[in-house]
Amino acid sequence: MWGYSDRGSYVREKIFFVKTLLNILAHGFLWLLAFIPYRWVVAVGYGLASIAPTFSKSRVKVIKANLKACFPNLSDEERERLAQQHWRLLGRSFAERGRLWLGSEKSITDFVTVTTSLDVTDGRPRLYVGMHMVGIEAGLIATSLYLKRLHTNSGITLYSSIKNAYFEPRIKKWRERFGARMFLREKHGRELLREIRRGTFVCLSPDMDLGRKDSEFVPFFGVPTNTVLAVSKMAKLAGAEVCPIFTTLRHDGSGYDCHIGEPWPNFPTDDPVADTARMNEYFEAVIRPRIPEYYWIHKRFKNRPEGQSSIY
């Protein structure tokens, strides 16, 4: 039947066909989002956000657990409002990726502005440190475009592989289309050091639980949080300044502002744990005025200190 020697081959090929078709449809949807008016993109994002929790029950629990751990003094109703606002901004940020990945340079600069407090072209060894706000994709791609227009060294960021074989190479290509380079998170440590020393714009986002290797528990919103020590150690080895970079939603909702700040004074020191705790304090200060913009959907507290139960 069907010309197959066994039913298993037929099922596998059918699954492959369906996955390929869905990927092509998703690709086409991204193209559509790249060219429709921006206000429509935002509306589509909010629409996606209204249904996403229905299909992401596990992430609903993660967001609620993160907010409860970080803001125990808020009522359940207040945390629920924050969670709903977060879903809306997540949906919006995903819809905006069509424009960021496939749209024109002008379509990006129309809704993302990059401002800097220092001369990023002076060749000084620096490490730029960001955090996972909903605008992170917009900010990093706009920054790569900003560096391209300044005719300076292209930026470097790290990424983790995704399981989708169709989109994995395409997303990497789209993120690199203005000259940026993406390095796998698990590799290229020595190469990153060389690039920092050369004055290349190297950006890390260390606010994820990447396992216990080379990490320590330091406070984040009062919660002992497994955090990599890489920023302090890498900056020390490279003789580099450490500068913040973060992207926030404008108050009127018209787009994003990416901020590149001045170097943190007296950073790094000889104490990487204290440096990392100080880094988390800075992240808190940026997040508190705009709580729904942070990526609460991540399992930030996946690893726990010995004897502490799971937050999730």
Side-chain angles (χ1 to χ4, degrees):
M1 184 178 181
W2 304 106
Y4 288 87
S5 59
D6 63 84
R7 183 170 177 80
S9 297
Y10 166 71
V11 171
R12 286 191 295 272
E13 196 156 320
K14 188 173 182 179
I15 291 173
F16 175 79
F17 172 79
V18 171
K19 287 183 176 179
T20 301
L21 178 61
L22 290 175
N23 283 328
I24 292 172
L25 290 174
H27 194 162
F29 185 55
L30 287 171
W31 272 109
L32 175 65
L33 292 171
F35 296 106
I36 63 176
Y38 181 62
R39 65 181 184 280
W40 294 6
V41 174
V42 173
V44 168
Y46 290 159
L48 292 173
S50 67
I51 62 174
T54 304
F55 301 97
S56 308
K57 297 295 186 182
S58 62
R59 291 298 166 178
V60 169
K61 293 179 180 178
V62 169
I63 292 171
K64 289 183 177 181
N66 283 338
L67 290 172
K68 185 175 182 179
C70 293
F71 307 102
N73 295 328
L74 295 181
S75 66
D76 291 342
E77 292 77 14
E78 289 172 318
R79 288 196 295 267
E80 181 61 28
R81 282 197 294 272
L82 289 175
Q84 291 174 359
Q85 292 168 3
H86 180 55
W87 276 110
R88 278 175 59 81
L89 296 182
L90 277 175
R92 172 178 178 158
S93 70
F94 280 109
E96 289 164 339
R97 293 184 186 189
R99 178 170 290 228
L100 292 166
W101 290 344
L102 299 168
S104 67
E105 294 185 8
K106 184 179 184 304
S107 72
I108 294 171
T109 56
D110 280 348
F111 81 104
V112 191
T113 300
V114 178
T115 59
T116 178
S117 301
L118 48 88
D119 180 3
V120 297
T121 68
D122 61 10
R124 292 176 65 91
R126 293 194 184 98
L127 179 57
Y128 296 86
V129 178
M131 69 201 83
H132 286 83
M133 310 290 280
V134 293
I136 186 172
E137 190 80 16
L140 290 178
I141 289 180
T143 298
S144 69
L145 178 54
Y146 178 76
L147 294 173
K148 173 190 172 186
R149 293 182 171 182
L150 292 176
H151 304 288
T152 189
N153 287 339
S154 58
I156 295 174
T157 57
L158 302 184
Y159 77 102
S160 298
S161 297
I162 62 174
K163 295 180 180 180
N164 189 309
Y166 179 90
F167 277 110
E168 164 82 12
R170 288 172 171 82
I171 291 175
K172 184 175 184 294
K173 180 180 178 181
W174 296 336
R175 286 172 167 169
E176 293 180 332
R177 66 192 179 119
F178 300 126
R181 287 176 287 166
M182 306 284 296
F183 288 178
L184 272 172
R185 188 178 299 278
E186 298 82 4
K187 301 178 180 180
H188 303 292
R190 292 182 179 178
E191 191 170 352
L192 280 178
L193 282 173
R194 287 196 296 270
E195 294 291 349
I196 294 169
R197 290 172 179 146
R198 288 178 54 198
T200 302
F201 194 104
V202 175
C203 181
L204 302 181
S205 298
D207 59 327
M208 295 181 70
D209 192 329
L210 301 175
R212 293 292 292 119
K213 183 179 180 181
D214 200 28
S215 301
E216 291 291 342
F217 288 98
V218 295
F220 180 63
F221 285 98
V223 182
T225 304
N226 187 54
T227 310
V228 292
L229 306 176
V231 169
S232 175
K233 289 186 174 182
M234 191 170 289
K236 191 74 172 178
L237 287 171
E241 302 172 332
V242 176
C243 302
I245 175 172
F246 59 95
T247 304
T248 58
L249 186 68
R250 294 174 192 153
H251 292 299
D252 63 2
S254 62
Y256 298 89
D257 292 314
C258 178
H259 315 266
I260 302 173
E262 295 181 352
W264 290 335
N266 304 314
F267 194 107
T269 68
D270 293 326
D271 187 344
V273 177
D275 288 345
T276 304
R278 183 178 159 197
M279 177 185 72
N280 276 2
E281 288 178 3
Y282 182 88
F283 290 169
E284 284 187 43
V286 173
I287 295 165
R288 282 189 184 278
R290 50 187 68 86
I291 293 170
E293 293 184 43
Y294 188 63
Y295 254 54
W296 301 107
I297 199 168
H298 281 167
K299 286 189 175 182
R300 186 66 188 91
F301 310 114
K302 183 166 50 178
N303 284 284
R304 306 305 310 135
E306 186 175 352
Q308 289 195 16
S309 58
S310 173
I311 286 177
Y312 308 112

